[in-house]
């Protein structure tokens, strides 16, 4: 098994997920079977109890695992089906080690971060890396591990130490460390500054991991002189410095990487035995996809009526699905994020400007999506949106809570069940038209919903359906 560790420096949210996905894409185009692991150093067991404002969307896997949105990136880019164990958190690792200690597995030893926690991390990575993630059940050849957060974070330290040991455990020719760093370009001078990258790489090396690749993220393209400077100060060859500037679409990232010789580097460094040079049609599907995404001219506007619209990452999968659908239909997508609470009558008197602006944007859209959410805030706004779509026959899709609000609206305004509600919002509703599932436990917030891909069996006898 070959491992590519992706770490981040300077700031979080620098694009490690897309970089890691792009590595996998290039290898997959070379007929290498790839799997991926995302490590999140927070103490939560999983992402299920997060507000989307914390980390963006909570992505749900086929097996019902609630995980980081980067695993959604991996599934979309690599066309693989990941499992809940492909997301490692500090909480999962400590829970695993503590349960072993309670069983007496450590035979009376003092349980410590080194070696017990670090060993547990390494064993987890090795076990998950060998699990098939494609329908044909082929064992992966390369595992891409993304370490969340930023190098130097106190909670990430056990993971960095685990990989410092891991590089010797799996041997040099099976392990690559890629460090993604920010190269800011201050408006005052306009030139790219390499000092933050130098400091970040120095810190990583001080912790015992030497980057084999430095991926520089920047707003605008970076010149050869800056590349040479980073190479000189960060102890890597110039061809081991990749520069990825902001691009029109994320589909361009693997293409830009490949043009900088990344496949040749991986082939040589990890001894992958990929025939070189790549064929003339190499990655043509990706190039075609990127080209189509950039040349669409007919617009379609979709209103997304949600509760967490201040952070667009809150609805990452919904927006990606819309982009893919628009691309397939040959349309350029424009999404209008509308705060559900702004559509409510209460806002009309409290903040009339926001109310009228929200309704104007909403009415001008070609279609409406009301996505999921939790809690009472904004539910009345979602109900108003459903009502308007039903009455004007505007194309509409309700997902999760969005579908519940559509059922509530229909029950109240068409079936005249005035007190109709969902028990999620009002447990004592006069007409409880959406009820909790029997296995739902309102006392526990994590892993209590029926999630993931599953068969639903419809009863024929004694059923309204």
């Amino acid at each position: 098994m070959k491992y590519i560790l992706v770490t981040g420096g300077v700031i979080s949210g620098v694009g490690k997920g897309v970089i890691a996905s792009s590595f996998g894409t290039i290898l997959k185009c070379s007929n290498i079977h790839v799997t991926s692991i995302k490590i999140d150093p927070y103490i939560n067991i999983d992402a299920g109890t997060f507000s989307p404002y914390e980390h963006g969307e909570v992505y749900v896997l086929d097996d019902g695992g609630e995980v980081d949105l980067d695993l959604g990136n991996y599934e979309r880019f690599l066309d693989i089906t990941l499992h809940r164990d492909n997301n490692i958190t500090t909480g999962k690792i400590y829970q695993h080690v503590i349960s072993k200690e309670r069983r007496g597995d450590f035979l009376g030893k003092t349980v410590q971060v080194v070696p017990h926690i670090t060993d547990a991390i390494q064993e987890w990575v090795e076990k998950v890396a060998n699990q098939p993630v494609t329908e044909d059940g082929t064992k992966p050849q390369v595992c891409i591990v993304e370490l969340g957060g930023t190098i130097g974070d106190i909670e990430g330290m056990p993971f960095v130490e685990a990989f410092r040991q891991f590089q010797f455990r799996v041997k040099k020719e099976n392990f690559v460390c890629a460090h993604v760093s920010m190269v800011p370009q201050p408006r005052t001078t306009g030139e790219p500054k390499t000092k933050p990258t130098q400091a970040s790489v120095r810190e990583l090396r001080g912790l015992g991991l030497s980057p084999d690749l430095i991926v520089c993220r920047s707003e605008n393209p970076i010149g050869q002189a800056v590349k040479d400077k980073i190479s000189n100060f960060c102890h890597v060859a110039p061809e081991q410095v990749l520069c990825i500037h902001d691009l029109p679409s994320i589909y361009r990232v693997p293409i830009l990487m490949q043009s900088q010789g990344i496949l040749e580097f991986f082939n040589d460094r990890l001894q992958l035995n990929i025939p070189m040079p790549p064929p003339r049609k190499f990655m043509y599907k990706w190039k075609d996809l990127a080209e189509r995404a950039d040349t669409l001219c007919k617009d379609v506007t979709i209103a997304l009526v949600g509760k967490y619209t201040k952070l667009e990452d809150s609805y990452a999968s919904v927006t990606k699905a819309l982009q893919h659908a628009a691309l397939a239909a040959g349309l350029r997508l424009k999404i209008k994020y509308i705060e559900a609470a702004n559509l409510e009558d209460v806002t009309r008197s409290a903040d009339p400007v926001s109310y009228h602006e929200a309704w104007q944007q909403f009415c001008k859209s070609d279609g409406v999506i009301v996505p999921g959410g939790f809690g009472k805030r904004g539910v009345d706004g979602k109900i108003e949106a459903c009502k308007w779509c039903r009455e004007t026959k505007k194309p509409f899709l309700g997902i999760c809570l969005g579908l519940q609000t559509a059922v509530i609206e229909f029950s109240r305004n068409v079936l005249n069940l005035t007190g109709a509600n969902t028990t999620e919002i009002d447990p004592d509703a006069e007409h409880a038209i959406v009820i909790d599932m029997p296995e739902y436990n309102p006392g526990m917030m994590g892993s209590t919903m029926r999630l993931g891909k599953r068969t639903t069996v419809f009863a024929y006898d004694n059923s309204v359906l």
Side-chain angles (χ1 to χ4, degrees):
M1 178 63 66
K2 312 287 183 180
Y3 296 90
I4 300 169
L5 174 68
V6 180
T7 60
V10 187
I11 59 168
S12 60
V14 76
K16 295 190 298 297
V18 174
I19 300 289
S21 303
S22 300
F23 286 159
T25 300
I26 293 166
L27 292 169
K28 189 140 193 209
C29 289
S30 310
N31 298 318
I32 298 285
H33 291 277
V34 181
T35 185
S36 56
I37 294 172
K38 172 72 196 291
I39 294 174
D40 287 300
Y42 46 69
I43 294 171
N44 303 57
I45 301 294
D46 58 32
T49 55
F50 278 153
S51 154
Y53 285 140
E54 287 289 313
H55 280 263
E57 172 192 81
V58 176
Y59 186 74
V60 182
L61 300 171
D62 278 8
D63 65 3
E66 295 171 281
V67 294
D68 186 88
L69 62 84
D70 277 325
L71 276 87
N73 267 330
Y74 304 150
E75 288 205 339
R76 285 186 288 266
F77 267 78
L78 306 175
D79 194 21
I80 54 179
T81 303
L82 298 172
H83 319 289
R84 64 177 72 231
D85 286 349
N86 287 76
N87 192 200
I88 304 175
T89 67
T90 298
K92 281 183 183 177
I93 293 292
Y94 274 83
Q95 191 180 50
H96 173 69
V97 171
I98 289 167
S99 61
K100 281 177 76 175
E101 184 272 332
R102 292 288 84 188
R103 286 199 307 267
D105 291 3
F106 295 115
L107 303 174
K109 283 194 172 72
T110 307
V111 182
Q112 296 175 289
V113 173
V114 180
H116 302 106
I117 296 292
T118 52
D119 282 356
I121 294 164
Q122 292 175 64
E123 285 159 14
W124 192 305
V125 167
E126 277 194 311
K127 185 184 85 193
V128 173
N130 285 287
Q131 287 180 359
V133 287
T134 49
E135 280 184 18
D136 58 8
T138 312
K139 188 182 147 186
Q141 296 159 274
V142 176
C143 177
I144 298 164
V145 185
E146 182 194 338
L147 176 56
T150 311
I151 289 298
D153 293 349
I154 193 163
E155 60 260 38
M157 289 299 183
F159 294 101
V160 177
E161 173 58 24
F163 284 106
R164 185 194 66 75
Q165 298 169 22
F166 193 66
Q167 62 187 340
F168 302 112
R169 179 170 172 163
V170 298
K171 301 199 170 44
K172 189 177 184 218
E173 65 274 13
N174 299 321
F175 185 86
V176 164
C177 176
H179 188 60
V180 185
S181 179
M182 188 76 193
V183 177
Q185 294 166 303
R187 290 232 174 100
T188 45
T189 58
E191 61 175 342
K193 294 292 182 186
T194 63
K195 193 63 77 182
T197 299
Q198 292 175 42
S200 175
V201 170
R202 191 183 307 122
E203 185 158 17
L204 183 61
R205 290 170 66 88
L207 296 168
L209 277 172
S210 234
D212 302 287
L213 266 178
I214 297 172
V215 184
C216 300
R217 285 281 293 107
S218 61
E219 197 176 338
N220 302 310
I222 293 173
Q224 188 62 40
V226 179
K227 207 171 174 177
D228 291 341
K229 189 175 179 184
I230 290 168
S231 156
N232 197 16
F233 282 100
C234 297
H235 201 70
V236 292
E239 60 270 18
Q240 288 166 259
V241 180
L242 297 185
C243 299
I244 309 290
H245 56 274
D246 291 352
L247 293 159
S249 76
I250 56 173
Y251 307 121
R252 292 242 169 236
V253 179
I255 298 163
L256 179 59
M257 269 188 184
Q258 175 50 23
S259 70
Q260 296 181 40
I262 188 68
L263 182 61
E264 289 78 357
F265 172 76
F266 282 145
N267 194 31
D268 181 50
R269 178 71 174 69
L270 293 172
Q271 300 170 10
L272 295 170
N273 302 320
I274 300 167
M276 286 290 164
R280 203 161 52 86
K281 280 194 158 187
F282 184 64
M283 290 187 75
Y284 77 97
K285 279 187 180 174
W286 274 92
K287 288 171 186 165
D288 178 52
L289 179 68
E291 204 58 47
R292 274 194 303 144
D294 293 349
T295 53
L296 300 168
C297 38
K298 195 179 174 191
D299 290 343
V300 61
T301 305
I302 303 293
L304 193 148
V305 182
K307 293 172 58 172
Y308 315 106
T309 53
K310 290 187 183 74
L311 182 69
E312 291 183 11
D313 264 0
S314 302
Y315 300 107
S317 289
V318 176
T319 56
K320 289 285 188 290
L322 283 169
Q323 283 165 8
H324 297 165
L327 202 53
L331 299 168
R332 184 169 57 193
L333 177 71
K334 290 185 175 175
I335 300 178
K336 296 289 182 194
Y337 292 92
I338 296 169
E339 188 66 35
N342 289 348
L343 299 175
E344 295 173 3
D345 279 342
V346 181
T347 312
R348 182 189 280 184
S349 48
D351 185 359
V353 175
S354 296
Y355 175 83
H356 290 293
E357 277 180 358
W359 272 105
Q360 186 186 26
Q361 283 198 325
F362 179 77
C363 296
K364 279 162 70 177
S365 63
D366 299 309
V368 175
I369 282 195
V370 182
F374 290 92
K376 292 180 183 176
R377 181 177 66 82
V379 167
D380 289 341
K382 290 186 175 191
I383 290 171
E384 287 299 321
C386 297
K387 182 183 179 187
W388 193 83
C389 289
R390 179 177 59 78
E391 290 177 345
T392 60
K393 295 191 165 42
K394 176 78 76 178
F396 164 85
L397 176 63
I399 303 170
C400 198
L401 183 64
L403 184 59
Q404 291 192 49
T405 54
V407 175
I408 293 166
E409 188 280 321
F410 188 86
S411 303
R412 288 179 184 177
N413 299 321
V414 179
L415 307 179
N416 297 318
L417 301 172
T418 46
N421 214 330
T422 163
T423 56
E424 185 180 334
I425 305 300
D426 181 7
D428 307 313
E430 186 186 341
H431 298 286
I433 47 156
V434 182
I435 58 169
D436 288 331
M437 292 172 290
E439 69 267 45
Y440 177 67
N441 175 3
M444 291 288 286
M445 296 296 281
S447 296
T448 51
M449 294 194 297
R450 190 187 290 175
L451 295 170
K453 194 176 184 180
R454 57 190 298 142
T455 305
T456 303
V457 181
F458 293 116
Y460 288 101
D461 304 330
N462 191 26
S463 162
V464 175
L465 185 71

